[in-house]
Amino acid sequence: MYLSKKKKVFIGLLLWRLISVFVVQTTHVPDEYWQSLEVAHRLAFGYGYLTWEWIEKIRNYMYPFLISVIYQLLAFVTLDHVIILTTLPRILQAIISAYGEYKFYEWTKNKWTLYSLCINWYWYYCATHSYCYGMLVISPWEFFRVNVLYKIGDFVIHQRGSLDVMNILHNEIVNADNTTNILFLTPCHATPLYSHLHVNVPIKILTCEPNFEGDINYVDEADMFFANPTQWLDHNYNNNNSIVLPDYIILFDNIVPKIGEFLKHYQIVSQIFYAHFPQSNYGKYIYVYKHV
């Protein structure tokens, strides 16, 4: 079958991006889930978590709506499994990225410009995530360091734990007799949520909404917890008889020594690698604790 040059270019771009869906196994930024998949999951299945931007109606629903249509179709044919729910949106993004690059090629009419775009490893890493940012690399060493050395780790290791922990938690919950609630003691939005869990169970996360009321002494919940974890737990759990202790707690290893007393009724069920050089309030490992 004869294919024109333009069709060959588009098919080549599409295959290149589709391959990256399966090569890139890590997460980039929280917004790729919280501003797309989490919203789409709530639209399609009626449960999930919306961040303050969506409650305040300052975000556009178009992109999450497209993903929610895919979710609804999957549910209709009873194929709404987590692996499919998390992979198909990336395939959609691969198609969108490939089409955008093809139109860019049509506009520039320069194959070397297109080639430069395709071999940019940072773009290869970002292009199939459901929310992307750009980066300017200016020196040859910076190009090599960022686009080669770092990206090898970024593709398969760095911050992959935030995805792996959701798979482990999903398996724990679906195989448990009863799960009342889950507590995430991580920086806000450190992991995906219902889009990767796909189980309608109450979940508590540390929030980080802006100071809507203009309170000069305002501290968001996440900062409040990390400033004094024991005090936060005493206020919300230990001294609150109306609150049921969570069945599962997810947290980074750097917090464990600070709340040892609270964790004495829990046991570790999983330890997942997160990052070699974690940022503030993050750790090298993510722990999953289960109430005993």
Side-chain angles (χ1 to χ4, degrees):
M1 181 178 64
Y2 173 76
L3 293 175
S4 66
K5 180 180 178 181
K6 288 185 176 181
K7 288 183 178 179
K8 289 180 180 178
V9 170
F10 176 70
I11 291 173
L13 289 170
L14 182 59
L15 290 175
W16 182 238
R17 294 305 168 202
L18 287 174
I19 291 171
S20 74
V21 170
F22 302 98
V23 171
V24 179
Q25 303 173 32
T26 57
T27 179
H28 182 211
V29 292
D31 277 359
E32 67 189 82
Y33 306 111
W34 290 93
Q35 308 300 347
S36 56
L37 302 191
E38 294 297 330
V39 183
H41 192 279
R42 185 180 177 94
L43 289 173
F45 301 107
Y47 67 93
Y49 190 100
L50 294 181
T51 57
W52 67 270
E53 299 98 321
W54 300 94
I55 297 173
E56 296 296 321
K57 298 180 174 60
I58 64 172
R59 292 281 188 177
N60 189 300
Y61 273 89
M62 180 58 70
Y63 187 57
F65 174 74
L66 292 176
I67 298 174
S68 74
V69 172
I70 296 174
Y71 284 174
Q72 289 172 326
L73 291 174
L74 289 172
F76 181 75
V77 295
T78 64
L79 288 176
D80 53 323
H81 307 297
V82 170
I83 184 63
I84 302 177
L85 292 174
T86 55
T87 302
L88 279 188
R90 294 194 61 199
I91 292 176
L92 171 65
Q93 186 63 37
I95 296 171
I96 294 172
S97 295
Y99 180 74
E101 291 158 355
Y102 172 72
K103 299 304 289 186
F104 177 75
Y105 170 70
E106 277 195 332
W107 174 56
T108 62
K109 296 180 173 59
N110 189 316
K111 66 178 181 180
W112 296 111
T113 303
L114 181 63
Y115 178 71
S116 298
L117 183 64
C118 289
I119 65 171
N120 184 303
W121 286 103
Y122 188 78
W123 178 236
Y124 191 76
Y125 174 63
C126 289
T128 58
H129 283 296
S130 49
Y131 194 85
C132 303
Y133 294 104
M135 175 181 284
L136 178 63
V137 181
I138 55 176
S139 71
W141 164 242
E142 283 296 305
F143 180 88
F144 179 76
R145 181 174 64 88
V146 174
N147 290 288
V148 179
L149 298 182
Y150 283 3
K151 292 312 149 193
I152 293 174
D154 284 347
F155 283 5
V156 296
I157 300 174
H158 184 66
Q159 296 184 174
R160 176 174 174 167
S162 59
L163 302 179
D164 291 342
V165 71
M166 300 309 295
N167 291 331
I168 292 169
L169 195 56
H170 171 82
N171 293 332
E172 280 283 331
I173 293 173
V174 297
N175 293 319
D177 294 331
N178 183 37
T179 299
T180 56
N181 64 86
I182 303 168
L183 174 62
F184 280 77
L185 295 178
T186 63
C188 65
H189 312 146
T191 70
L193 212 59
Y194 289 100
S195 65
H196 285 59
L197 195 60
H198 197 45
V199 179
N200 191 4
V201 59
I203 298 176
K204 167 63 183 172
I205 66 171
L206 300 174
T207 59
C208 51
E209 282 86 357
N211 183 8
F212 292 114
E213 304 299 326
D215 184 353
I216 60 174
N217 297 315
Y218 177 77
V219 179
D220 69 50
E221 186 178 32
D223 286 344
M224 191 178 300
F225 169 79
F226 288 112
N228 195 327
T230 301
Q231 185 179 67
W232 187 91
L233 289 169
D234 285 343
H235 175 74
N236 288 275
Y237 288 94
N238 294 333
N239 300 332
N240 191 339
N241 295 328
S242 64
I243 299 295
V244 178
L245 288 176
D247 292 301
Y248 292 93
I249 299 176
I250 292 81
L251 72 169
F252 284 98
D253 57 345
N254 60 322
I255 298 299
V256 173
K258 301 178 182 179
I259 61 170
E261 184 66 20
F262 186 77
L263 293 174
K264 67 181 182 180
H265 300 299
Y266 291 82
Q267 66 178 11
I268 296 177
V269 295
S270 188
Q271 173 183 301
I272 307 104
F273 177 78
Y274 179 75
H276 289 98
F277 305 103
Q279 301 174 6
S280 176
N281 294 331
Y282 289 77
K284 188 174 182 180
Y285 294 93
I286 305 176
Y287 287 164
V288 177
Y289 277 83
K290 183 178 181 179
H291 193 268
V292 293

